[in-house]
Amino acid sequence: MKRITVAELLSSQNFLQDVTVKGWVRTFRANRFIALNDGSTINNIQCVVDFENTDEALLKRVTTGAAIAIKGILIESQGKGQTVEIQVKSLEILGDSNPEEYPIQPKKHSLEFLRENAHLRIRTNTFSAVMRVRSTLSFAIHKYFIENGFYNFHAPIITGSDAEGAGEMFNVTTLNLTNIPKTEEGNVNYSKDFFGKITNLTVSGQLEAETYAMALGKVYTFGPTFRAENSNTTRHLAEFWMIEPEVAFNNLDDNMDLAEDFIKNVISYALQHCKDDLAYLNDRLLDEEKSKPVTERSEMNLLERLKFVIENNFKRVSYTEAIEILQNSTPNKKKKFQYLIKEWGADLQSEHERYLVEKHFKCPIILFDYPAKIKAFYMRLNEDGKTVRAMDVLFPGIGEIVGGSQREERLDVLKQKIKDLNIDEHELWWYLDTRKFGTAEHSGFGLGFERLVQFTTGMGNIRDVIPYPRTPQNAEF
Ligand code: 4AD
Ligand code: MG
């Protein structure tokens, strides 16, 4: 008989039918009730064993984590807490799980402990819920763009360019590191390397996406990106996934409209399609908050926060306005910020972003028109000559979730910028070609996928929303 998933069984009204179900034991109570989970849903199906007529040795092997197959009859549940259950006719152990050794016992484990067991943590309610939400969000993102006339574009992962100009890149090389070929001047001779030049893992697919937008009109990338920033925070990974739409003929206002509509759309899709998982995560967070002092608890629960984001406009605020607010803010005056805001031009730290979002505006905001000095070379210079058409979307609890801009489409202005920043113009010849041949206004942004998953699931640490996190000193699994 074909196996039926737990999700299908739990929504079935087809009582008294014979069914086969396979999964992993979550708990086994009173030698009678097996809670079985197969990953199709956060919910378990209860399987009731007739223990008097079942081999005792077999029942001993029904331990947490064991894989089993059950044949039985689907009936309306007699007990509380579930609508259907299975009356077990036969039970087969597919794979034992020694309870002395299996780390994931039916009790509360710390997130730190589970991180060390990332290959097994997916068998817990929390992680299976997070990863189902992650999968749903990923689908929603592709769906949103495809339905809105975008083409999916696969940016190269190995590249010679540093899109963000931040220099935080992982080199890609096949050179023998114990015997590095040198040039006459004593530098590394990359002409002997695999690609004949210095290459790295991409920090962003944007520059390549721009070339495609200038032909296909609307494109988006959704791929892994790599940053060798040595930041051990709850919001940074060395390997993360980024979604980067790029649209020809869009200006910054269009770009902000797109970012806002897109984020609202995918969160709303998750709310509709991950009801059970989000309800579980909502309760998990409420439980976690109980251990915090009352003043530090959030005003809204997870589900309320998600609805709030969907139903309210993101407030659009210029950088200049934000600096004024920050300068006059209590934590700045009382020197509570780690980095005090002294003057226009200061780079915003996450403490400032979170003050603006969580304390001042109390809603998601889009900051725009940042000083040119603190932003990347490709952003369009404003008439004032000192600000650029940049935008960052800031979210409560997360800080920056999106970074984007209108791009500098004027060849002469772009070249001057490249020169001022000492970037090698020859490396960017192909990028500059887009400004030589049929240049036009265009804009795009990058959404950090894990930060979106963090916001949607309420997980506090970014390492808990990606299957196998890569962070400084950590590449296990
Ligand atoms: O602001 P960023 O650096 O922007 C870019 O890379 C642009 N090229 C995007 C574009 O215009 N096409 O990064 C975009 C987003 C950030 O807002 C953040 O959400 C996420 O990527 N991000 C990270 N997420 C996890 N770990 C890191 N180390 C991240 N660095 C950036
Ligand atoms: Mg940024």
Side-chain angles (χ1 to χ4, degrees), residues 404-421:
S405 65
Q406 183 173 329
R407 318 307 189 189
E408 183 55 78
E409 85 286 9
R410 298 162 296 185
L411 183 64
D412 50 337
V413 183
L414 186 59
K415 273 187 155 173
Q416 187 58 45
K417 190 74 171 287
I418 288 174
K419 205 167 148 204
D420 294 346
L421 289 173

Side-chain angles (χ1 to χ4, degrees), residues 440-458:
E441 212 169 59
H442 62 288
S443 301
F445 61 82
L447 167 77
F449 186 50
E450 283 73 21
R451 293 194 186 171
L452 174 71
V453 181
Q454 252 191 299
F455 181 75
T456 312
T457 60

Side-chain angles (χ1 to χ4, degrees), residues 307-374:
K307 288 194 190 110
F308 182 86
V309 162
I310 294 168
E311 286 163 8
N312 290 280
N313 290 336
F314 296 5
K315 177 107 178 108
R316 300 180 187 189
V317 186
S318 74
Y319 167 90
T320 303
E321 205 181 321
I323 284 292
E324 275 165 27
I325 294 168
L326 288 168
Q327 268 181 323
N328 296 319
S329 71
T330 316
N332 203 56
K333 286 185 177 155
K334 294 202 165 157
K335 301 198 168 26
K336 287 272 160 61
F337 282 141
Q338 197 187 340
Y339 298 89
L340 294 179
I341 298 288
K342 299 213 180 81
E343 56 188 6
W344 191 94
D347 203 354
L348 299 185
Q349 306 295 328
S350 81
E351 56 180 347
H352 308 128
E353 298 176 341
R354 293 186 62 168
Y355 175 84
L356 291 168
V357 177
E358 289 159 28
K359 298 280 188 299
H360 190 85
F361 290 105
K362 295 183 191 289
C363 69
I365 61 176
I366 312 185
L367 285 190
F368 62 93
D369 283 352
Y370 281 76
K373 273 205 197 103
I374 58 171

Side-chain angles (χ1 to χ4, degrees), residues 138-187:
S138 163
F139 175 73
I141 288 165
H142 285 293
K143 182 171 169 343
Y144 176 87
F145 285 123
I146 297 299
E147 286 178 359
N148 282 286
F150 284 70
Y151 292 105
N152 185 202
F153 158 71
H154 296 129
I157 293 181
I158 300 174
T159 165
S161 66
D162 174 7
E164 291 307 296
E168 291 158 332
M169 298 177 299
F170 290 102
N171 287 148
V172 175
T173 180
T174 53
L175 290 178
N176 178 352
L177 296 183
T178 55
N179 185 15
I180 298 170
K182 295 276 174 70
T183 60
E184 274 172 20
E185 297 84 45
N187 300 323

Side-chain angles (χ1 to χ4, degrees), residues 163-164 168 203-207 209-210 221 225-229 231 233 235-246 255 375-376 378-379 391-393 398-405 407 443-452 454 462:
E164 291 307 296
E168 291 158 332
V203 295
S204 156
Q206 178 197 321
L207 302 191
E210 281 187 53
T221 69
T225 40
F226 306 86
R227 301 211 179 159
E229 7 181 18
S231 28
T233 77
R235 303 174 315 119
H236 287 90
L237 291 165
E239 177 180 288
F240 64 98
W241 289 68
M242 192 163 28
I243 296 99
E244 296 182 274
E246 192 68 37
N255 208 30
K375 288 292 182 187
Y378 50 70
M379 299 190 180
M391 63 174 225
D392 277 4
V393 181
I398 303 284
E400 180 190 337
I401 194 163
V402 159
S405 65
R407 318 307 189 189
S443 301
F445 61 82
L447 167 77
F449 186 50
E450 283 73 21
R451 293 194 186 171
L452 174 71
Q454 252 191 299
I462 199 165

